[in-house]
Coordinates of all heavy atoms in Angstrom, one line a residue:
M273 N -16.6 -15.8 -8.3 CA -16.9 -14.3 -8.0 C -16.2 -13.7 -7.0 O -15.6 -12.7 -7.2 CB -18.5 -14.1 -7.9 CG -18.9 -12.8 -7.5 SD -18.7 -11.8 -9.1 CE -19.3 -10.2 -8.4
L274 N -16.2 -14.3 -5.8 CA -15.4 -13.8 -4.7 C -13.8 -13.8 -4.9 O -13.2 -12.8 -4.7 CB -15.7 -14.6 -3.4 CG -15.2 -14.0 -2.1 CD1 -15.8 -12.6 -1.9 CD2 -15.5 -15.0 -1.0
Q275 N -13.4 -14.8 -5.6 CA -12.0 -14.9 -6.0 C -11.6 -13.9 -7.0 O -10.5 -13.1 -6.8 CB -11.7 -16.3 -6.6 CG -10.2 -16.4 -6.9 CD -9.9 -17.8 -7.5 OE1 -10.7 -18.7 -7.7 NE2 -8.6 -17.9 -7.8
T276 N -12.5 -13.5 -7.8 CA -12.3 -12.4 -8.8 C -12.1 -11.0 -8.1 O -11.2 -10.2 -8.3 CB -13.4 -12.3 -9.9 OG1 -13.4 -13.6 -10.5 CG2 -13.1 -11.2 -10.9
V277 N -13.1 -10.8 -7.1 CA -13.0 -9.5 -6.3 C -11.8 -9.4 -5.5 O -11.0 -8.4 -5.6 CB -14.2 -9.5 -5.4 CG1 -14.1 -8.4 -4.5 CG2 -15.5 -9.4 -6.3
F278 N -11.3 -10.4 -4.9 CA -10.1 -10.5 -4.1 C -8.8 -10.3 -5.1 O -7.8 -9.8 -4.7 CB -10.0 -11.7 -3.2 CG -10.7 -11.5 -1.9 CD1 -11.9 -12.4 -1.7 CD2 -10.5 -10.4 -1.1 CE1 -12.6 -12.3 -0.5 CE2 -11.3 -10.3 0.1 CZ -12.3 -11.3 0.3
T279 N -8.9 -10.8 -6.2 CA -7.8 -10.8 -7.1 C -7.7 -9.3 -7.6 O -6.4 -8.8 -7.6 CB -8.0 -11.7 -8.4 OG1 -8.1 -13.1 -7.9 CG2 -6.9 -11.5 -9.4
W280 N -8.7 -8.6 -7.8 CA -8.7 -7.2 -8.2 C -8.2 -6.4 -7.0 O -7.4 -5.4 -7.2 CB -10.0 -6.7 -8.7 CG -10.3 -7.1 -10.1 CD1 -11.2 -8.1 -10.6 CD2 -9.7 -6.6 -11.3 NE1 -11.0 -8.1 -11.9 CE2 -10.2 -7.2 -12.4 CE3 -8.8 -5.6 -11.5 CZ2 -9.8 -6.9 -13.7 CZ3 -8.3 -5.3 -12.7 CH2 -8.8 -6.0 -13.9
I281 N -8.5 -6.7 -5.9 CA -8.1 -5.9 -4.6 C -6.5 -6.2 -4.5 O -5.8 -5.3 -4.3 CB -8.8 -6.4 -3.4 CG1 -10.3 -5.9 -3.5 CG2 -8.2 -5.8 -2.2 CD1 -11.2 -6.5 -2.4
W282 N -6.1 -7.5 -4.8 CA -4.7 -7.8 -4.6 C -3.9 -7.0 -5.7 O -2.8 -6.5 -5.4 CB -4.6 -9.4 -4.8 CG -3.2 -9.8 -4.9 CD1 -2.3 -9.9 -3.9 CD2 -2.5 -10.4 -6.0 NE1 -1.2 -10.4 -4.2 CE2 -1.2 -10.6 -5.6 CE3 -2.9 -10.5 -7.3 CZ2 -0.2 -11.2 -6.5 CZ3 -1.9 -11.1 -8.1 CH2 -0.5 -11.4 -7.7
L283 N -4.4 -6.9 -6.9 CA -3.7 -6.2 -7.9 C -3.7 -4.8 -7.6 O -2.6 -4.0 -7.7 CB -4.4 -6.5 -9.4 CG -4.3 -7.8 -10.0 CD1 -5.1 -8.0 -11.2 CD2 -2.7 -8.0 -10.3
A284 N -4.8 -4.2 -7.1 CA -4.7 -2.8 -6.8 C -3.8 -2.5 -5.6 O -3.1 -1.4 -5.7 CB -6.2 -2.4 -6.5
S285 N -3.8 -3.3 -4.6 CA -2.9 -3.1 -3.5 C -1.4 -3.2 -4.0 O -0.6 -2.4 -3.5 CB -3.1 -4.0 -2.4 OG -2.9 -5.5 -2.7
G286 N -1.1 -4.1 -5.0 CA 0.2 -4.2 -5.5 C 0.7 -3.0 -6.2 O 1.8 -2.5 -5.9
V287 N -0.2 -2.3 -7.0 CA 0.1 -1.1 -7.7 C 0.3 0.0 -6.7 O 1.2 0.9 -6.8 CB -1.0 -0.9 -8.8 CG1 -0.8 0.6 -9.4 CG2 -1.0 -1.9 -9.8
L288 N -0.6 0.1 -5.8 CA -0.6 1.3 -4.8 C 0.7 1.1 -4.0 O 1.3 2.1 -3.4 CB -1.8 1.2 -3.9 CG -3.1 1.7 -4.6 CD1 -4.3 1.6 -3.7 CD2 -3.0 3.1 -5.1
L289 N 1.0 -0.2 -3.7 CA 2.3 -0.4 -2.9 C 3.6 0.0 -3.5 O 4.4 0.8 -3.0 CB 2.4 -1.9 -2.5 CG 3.7 -2.2 -1.7 CD1 3.6 -1.5 -0.3 CD2 3.6 -3.7 -1.5
V290 N 3.6 -0.1 -4.8 CA 4.7 0.4 -5.7 C 4.8 1.8 -5.7 O 5.8 2.5 -5.6 CB 4.6 -0.1 -7.2 CG1 5.6 0.5 -8.1 CG2 4.8 -1.7 -7.2
V291 N 3.6 2.4 -5.8 CA 3.5 4.0 -5.9 C 4.0 4.6 -4.5 O 4.8 5.5 -4.5 CB 2.0 4.4 -6.3 CG1 1.9 5.9 -6.0 CG2 1.7 4.1 -7.7
T292 N 3.5 3.9 -3.4 CA 3.8 4.6 -2.2 C 5.3 4.3 -1.8 O 6.0 5.2 -1.2 CB 2.9 4.0 -0.9 OG1 3.1 2.5 -1.0 CG2 1.5 4.5 -1.2
V293 N 5.9 3.3 -2.3 CA 7.2 2.9 -2.0 C 8.1 4.1 -2.8 O 9.1 4.6 -2.4 CB 7.7 1.5 -2.3 CG1 9.2 1.4 -2.5 CG2 7.2 0.6 -1.3
L294 N 7.6 4.3 -4.1 CA 8.4 5.3 -5.0 C 8.3 6.7 -4.3 O 9.1 7.5 -4.7 CB 7.9 5.1 -6.4 CG 8.3 3.9 -7.1 CD1 7.7 4.0 -8.4 CD2 9.7 3.9 -7.3
L295 N 7.2 6.9 -3.5 CA 7.1 8.3 -3.0 C 8.1 8.6 -1.9 O 8.5 9.7 -1.5 CB 5.6 8.5 -2.4 CG 4.6 8.7 -3.5 CD1 3.3 8.8 -2.8 CD2 4.9 10.1 -4.3
H296 N 8.6 7.5 -1.4 CA 9.7 7.6 -0.2 C 10.9 8.1 -1.0 O 11.4 7.7 -2.0 CB 10.0 6.2 0.4 CG 9.0 5.8 1.4 ND1 8.9 6.3 2.6 CD2 8.0 4.9 1.3 CE1 7.8 5.7 3.2 NE2 7.3 4.9 2.5
S297 N 11.7 8.9 -0.2 CA 12.9 9.6 -0.6 C 13.9 8.7 -0.1 O 13.9 8.3 1.2 CB 13.0 10.9 -0.2 OG 14.3 11.4 -0.6
P298 N 15.0 8.4 -0.7 CA 16.2 7.6 -0.2 C 16.9 8.4 0.9 O 17.6 7.9 1.7 CB 17.1 7.4 -1.3 CG 16.7 8.4 -2.4 CD 15.3 8.7 -2.2
K299 N 16.7 9.7 1.0 CA 17.3 10.5 2.0 C 16.5 10.8 3.2 O 16.8 11.6 4.0 CB 17.9 11.8 1.4 CG 19.0 11.5 0.4 CD 19.6 12.9 -0.1 CE 20.6 12.5 -1.1 NZ 21.2 13.7 -1.8
G300 N 15.3 10.2 3.2 CA 14.3 10.6 4.3 C 13.5 11.7 4.0 O 12.7 12.1 4.9
D301 N 13.7 12.4 2.9 CA 12.8 13.5 2.6 C 11.3 13.2 2.1 O 10.4 13.6 2.7 CB 13.5 14.3 1.6 CG 12.9 15.7 1.5 OD1 12.2 16.1 2.4 OD2 13.1 16.5 0.4
G302 N 11.3 12.2 1.1 CA 10.1 11.8 0.7 C 8.9 12.7 0.4 O 9.2 13.8 -0.1
M303 N 7.7 12.4 0.8 CA 6.7 13.3 0.6 C 6.7 14.6 1.7 O 6.1 15.5 1.5 CB 5.4 12.7 0.8 CG 4.7 12.2 -0.5 SD 3.1 11.4 -0.1 CE 2.1 12.7 0.5
G304 N 7.7 14.4 2.6 CA 7.9 15.5 3.5 C 8.4 16.7 2.9 O 8.2 17.8 3.4
G305 N 8.9 16.7 1.7 CA 9.4 17.8 1.0 C 8.2 18.6 0.5 O 8.3 19.9 0.3
L306 N 7.1 18.1 0.3 CA 5.9 18.8 0.0 C 5.4 19.7 1.1 O 4.7 20.7 0.9 CB 4.8 17.8 -0.5 CG 5.0 16.9 -1.7 CD1 4.0 15.9 -1.9 CD2 5.4 17.7 -2.9
A307 N 5.7 19.2 2.2 CA 5.1 20.1 3.4 C 5.7 21.4 3.6 O 5.2 22.4 4.0 CB 5.5 19.3 4.7
S308 N 6.9 21.6 3.0 CA 7.6 22.9 3.1 C 7.2 23.8 2.0 O 7.7 24.9 1.9 CB 9.1 22.7 3.1 OG 9.5 22.1 2.0
S309 N 6.4 23.4 1.0 CA 6.1 24.1 -0.2 C 4.7 24.8 0.0 O 4.0 25.0 -1.0 CB 6.1 23.2 -1.3 OG 4.9 22.3 -1.2
G310 N 4.5 25.4 1.1 CA 3.3 26.2 1.4 C 2.1 25.4 1.9 O 2.3 24.7 2.8
G311 N 1.0 25.5 1.2 CA -0.2 24.8 1.6 C -0.1 23.3 1.5 O 0.2 22.8 0.4
S312 N -0.2 22.5 2.5 CA -0.1 21.1 2.5 C -1.1 20.5 3.4 O -1.5 21.0 4.4 CB 1.4 20.8 2.9 OG 1.5 19.3 2.9
M313 N -1.4 19.2 3.0 CA -2.4 18.5 3.9 C -1.6 17.9 5.2 O -2.3 17.5 6.1 CB -3.1 17.4 3.1 CG -2.2 16.1 2.7 SD -3.2 15.0 2.2 CE -2.6 14.9 0.5
F314 N -0.3 18.0 5.2 CA 0.4 17.5 6.3 C 1.0 18.7 7.2 O 1.4 19.6 6.6 CB 1.5 16.6 5.9 CG 1.2 15.4 5.1 CD1 1.4 15.3 3.8 CD2 0.4 14.3 5.7 CE1 0.9 14.3 2.9 CE2 0.0 13.2 5.0 CZ 0.3 13.2 3.6
S315 N 1.0 18.6 8.5 CA 1.5 19.5 9.3 C 3.0 19.7 9.3 O 3.5 20.6 9.6 CB 0.9 19.4 10.8 OG 1.4 18.2 11.3
S316 N 3.7 18.6 9.0 CA 5.2 18.6 9.0 C 5.6 17.5 8.2 O 4.9 16.7 7.8 CB 5.7 18.5 10.4 OG 5.4 17.1 11.0
A317 N 7.0 17.6 7.8 CA 7.6 16.5 7.0 C 7.5 15.1 7.9 O 7.4 14.0 7.2 CB 9.0 16.9 6.8
R318 N 7.7 15.2 9.1 CA 7.6 14.0 9.9 C 6.3 13.3 9.8 O 6.2 12.1 9.7 CB 8.1 14.3 11.3 CG 8.3 13.1 12.2 CD 9.0 13.5 13.4 NE 9.3 12.4 14.3 CZ 10.6 11.9 14.0 NH1 11.4 12.3 13.1 NH2 11.0 10.8 14.7
S319 N 5.3 14.1 9.9 CA 3.8 13.7 9.7 C 3.7 12.9 8.5 O 3.0 12.0 8.3 CB 2.9 14.8 10.0 OG 1.6 14.4 9.7
A320 N 4.2 13.7 7.4 CA 4.0 13.1 6.0 C 4.7 11.7 5.9 O 4.2 10.8 5.4 CB 4.5 14.0 5.0
E321 N 5.9 11.6 6.4 CA 6.6 10.2 6.4 C 5.9 9.2 7.2 O 5.8 8.1 6.8 CB 8.1 10.5 6.8 CG 9.0 11.0 5.7 CD 9.1 10.2 4.5 OE1 9.3 9.0 4.7 OE2 9.0 10.7 3.5
N322 N 5.5 9.5 8.4 CA 4.8 8.7 9.2 C 3.5 8.2 8.6 O 3.2 6.9 8.6 CB 4.5 9.2 10.6 CG 5.6 9.4 11.5 OD1 6.7 8.7 11.2 ND2 5.5 10.3 12.5
T323 N 2.8 9.0 8.0 CA 1.5 8.7 7.2 C 1.9 7.7 6.1 O 1.2 6.7 5.8 CB 0.9 9.9 6.6 OG1 0.5 10.7 7.8 CG2 -0.4 9.5 5.9
L324 N 2.9 8.0 5.3 CA 3.4 7.3 4.1 C 3.8 5.9 4.5 O 3.5 4.9 4.0 CB 4.5 8.0 3.4 CG 4.8 7.5 2.0 CD1 3.6 7.5 1.2 CD2 5.8 8.3 1.4
N325 N 4.5 5.9 5.7 CA 5.0 4.5 6.3 C 3.8 3.6 6.6 O 3.8 2.5 6.4 CB 5.9 4.7 7.5 CG 7.3 5.1 7.0 OD1 7.7 4.9 6.0 ND2 7.9 5.8 8.1
R326 N 2.8 4.2 7.3 CA 1.7 3.5 7.7 C 0.9 3.0 6.5 O 0.5 1.7 6.5 CB 0.7 4.3 8.5 CG 0.8 4.2 10.0 CD -0.3 4.9 10.8 NE 0.3 5.3 12.0 CZ 0.6 6.5 12.3 NH1 0.3 7.4 11.5 NH2 1.1 6.8 13.4
V327 N 0.7 3.7 5.5 CA 0.0 3.4 4.2 C 0.8 2.1 3.6 O 0.3 1.2 3.1 CB -0.2 4.6 3.4 CG1 -0.7 4.0 1.9 CG2 -1.2 5.5 3.9
S328 N 2.1 2.3 3.5 CA 2.9 1.4 3.0 C 2.8 0.0 3.6 O 2.7 -1.1 3.1 CB 4.4 1.8 2.9 OG 4.6 2.9 2.0
W329 N 2.9 0.0 5.0 CA 2.9 -1.2 5.8 C 1.5 -1.9 5.7 O 1.4 -3.1 5.5 CB 3.3 -1.0 7.1 CG 4.7 -0.8 7.4 CD1 5.4 0.3 7.6 CD2 5.6 -2.0 7.4 NE1 6.7 -0.1 7.8 CE2 6.9 -1.4 7.6 CE3 5.6 -3.2 7.2 CZ2 8.1 -2.3 7.6 CZ3 6.7 -4.2 7.2 CH2 8.0 -3.6 7.3
T330 N 0.4 -1.1 5.5 CA -0.9 -1.6 5.5 C -1.1 -2.2 4.2 O -1.7 -3.4 4.0 CB -1.9 -0.5 5.7 OG1 -1.7 0.1 7.0 CG2 -3.4 -1.0 5.6
L331 N -0.6 -1.6 3.1 CA -0.7 -2.1 1.8 C 0.2 -3.4 1.6 O -0.3 -4.4 1.0 CB -0.3 -1.2 0.7 CG -1.3 0.0 0.4 CD1 -0.6 1.0 -0.4 CD2 -2.6 -0.6 -0.3
L332 N 1.3 -3.4 2.2 CA 2.1 -4.6 2.3 C 1.4 -5.9 2.8 O 1.5 -6.9 2.3 CB 3.5 -4.3 2.9 CG 4.4 -5.6 3.0 CD1 4.9 -6.0 1.6 CD2 5.5 -5.3 3.9
A333 N 0.9 -5.6 4.1 CA 0.1 -6.7 4.8 C -1.1 -7.2 4.0 O -1.3 -8.4 3.9 CB -0.4 -6.2 6.2
T334 N -1.8 -6.2 3.2 CA -2.9 -6.6 2.4 C -2.4 -7.4 1.3 O -2.9 -8.5 0.9 CB -3.7 -5.4 1.9 OG1 -4.1 -4.6 3.0 CG2 -4.9 -5.7 1.1
F335 N -1.5 -7.0 0.7 CA -0.9 -7.7 -0.5 C -0.3 -9.0 -0.2 O -0.8 -10.0 -0.9 CB 0.3 -6.9 -1.2 CG 0.9 -7.4 -2.4 CD1 0.3 -7.4 -3.6 CD2 2.1 -8.2 -2.3 CE1 0.7 -7.9 -4.7 CE2 2.6 -8.7 -3.5 CZ 2.0 -8.6 -4.7
L336 N 0.4 -9.1 0.9 CA 0.9 -10.5 1.2 C -0.1 -11.5 1.7 O -0.2 -12.6 1.3 CB 2.0 -10.4 2.2 CG 3.3 -9.7 1.7 CD1 4.3 -9.6 2.9 CD2 3.9 -10.5 0.6
G337 N -1.1 -10.9 2.5 CA -2.3 -11.7 3.0 C -3.1 -12.3 1.9 O -3.4 -13.4 1.8
L338 N -3.3 -11.4 0.9 CA -4.2 -11.9 -0.2 C -3.4 -12.8 -1.1 O -4.0 -13.7 -1.6 CB -4.8 -10.6 -1.0 CG -5.9 -10.0 -0.4 CD1 -6.3 -8.7 -1.1 CD2 -7.1 -10.8 -0.3
A339 N -2.2 -12.6 -1.3 CA -1.3 -13.5 -2.2 C -1.4 -14.9 -1.5 O -1.3 -15.8 -2.3 CB 0.1 -12.9 -2.2
A340 N -1.2 -15.0 -0.1 CA -1.2 -16.3 0.4 C -2.6 -17.0 0.4 O -2.7 -18.2 0.0 CB -0.8 -16.1 1.9
A341 N -3.7 -16.1 0.5 CA -4.9 -16.7 0.5 C -5.4 -17.2 -0.9 O -5.9 -18.2 -1.2 CB -6.0 -15.7 1.0
L342 N -5.0 -16.3 -1.9 CA -5.3 -16.7 -3.3 C -4.6 -17.8 -3.8 O -5.1 -18.7 -4.5 CB -5.1 -15.5 -4.2 CG -6.1 -14.3 -4.0 CD1 -5.7 -13.0 -4.7 CD2 -7.5 -14.7 -4.6
S343 N -3.3 -18.0 -3.4 CA -2.5 -19.1 -3.8 C -2.8 -20.3 -3.1 O -2.8 -21.5 -3.6 CB -1.0 -18.8 -3.6 OG -0.7 -18.8 -2.3
A344 N -3.5 -20.3 -1.9 CA -3.9 -21.3 -1.2 C -5.3 -21.9 -1.7 O -5.8 -23.1 -1.5 CB -4.0 -21.2 0.3
G345 N -5.9 -21.2 -2.6 CA -7.2 -21.4 -3.1 C -8.4 -21.4 -2.0 O -9.3 -22.1 -2.3
W346 N -8.2 -20.5 -1.1 CA -9.3 -20.4 -0.1 C -10.6 -19.8 -0.5 O -11.6 -20.0 0.0 CB -8.8 -19.6 1.1 CG -7.6 -20.3 1.9 CD1 -7.3 -21.6 1.9 CD2 -6.8 -19.6 2.8 NE1 -6.2 -21.8 2.7 CE2 -5.9 -20.6 3.3 CE3 -6.6 -18.4 3.3 CZ2 -4.8 -20.4 4.2 CZ3 -5.7 -18.0 4.2 CH2 -4.9 -19.1 4.6
F347 N -10.5 -19.1 -1.7 CA -11.7 -18.4 -2.2 C -12.4 -19.2 -3.4 O -13.3 -18.8 -4.0 CB -11.4 -17.0 -2.6 CG -10.8 -16.2 -1.4 CD1 -9.5 -15.7 -1.5 CD2 -11.6 -15.9 -0.3 CE1 -9.0 -14.9 -0.5 CE2 -11.1 -15.3 0.7 CZ -9.8 -14.7 0.6
K348 N -11.9 -20.3 -3.8 CA -12.3 -21.0 -5.0 C -13.7 -21.5 -4.7 O -14.6 -21.5 -5.6 CB -11.4 -22.1 -5.4 CG -10.1 -21.5 -6.2 CD -9.3 -22.7 -6.8 CE -8.1 -22.0 -7.4 NZ -7.7 -22.6 -8.7
G349 N -13.9 -22.1 -3.6 CA -15.2 -22.7 -3.2 C -16.3 -21.8 -2.9 O -17.4 -22.1 -3.0
A350 N -15.9 -20.5 -2.5 CA -16.8 -19.5 -2.2 C -17.6 -18.9 -3.4 O -17.1 -18.8 -4.4 CB -16.2 -18.5 -1.4

């Protein structure tokens, strides 16, 4: 049961990681381009990129940590 829950979390973090990486712009504009389009939840383009970077790194750590734990079989006995 616990392994199934962590597998779903692992899959969701992988999909979200792909989405957040695709939101980055190759020229550094990324989601920051949305900040200049009027009402935005970010105060500046730099704030948007910093938030997107934090989310991406957190998802990466979650994805890799769960990949290692699931492949090692740490949750099979639980």
Side-chain angles (χ1 to χ4, degrees):
M273 173 68 180
L274 189 59
Q275 182 178 2
T276 305
V277 171
F278 281 118
T279 300
W280 280 106
I281 294 171
W282 175 70
L283 288 171
S285 67
V287 170
L288 290 173
L289 180 61
V290 169
V291 170
T292 57
V293 167
L294 289 175
L295 284 173
H296 283 282
S297 173
K299 295 181 181 177
D301 194 21
M303 262 181 68
L306 298 176
S308 62
S309 66
S312 175
M313 71 170 116
F314 301 108
S315 60
S316 69
R318 189 169 193 84
S319 172
E321 280 298 315
N322 287 341
T323 302
L324 195 55
N325 283 336
R326 258 189 218 110
V327 170
S328 297
W329 280 106
T330 302
L331 287 169
L332 177 66
T334 302
F335 181 80
L336 292 178
L338 284 175
L342 288 168
S343 66
W346 293 346
F347 303 117
K348 284 190 183 216

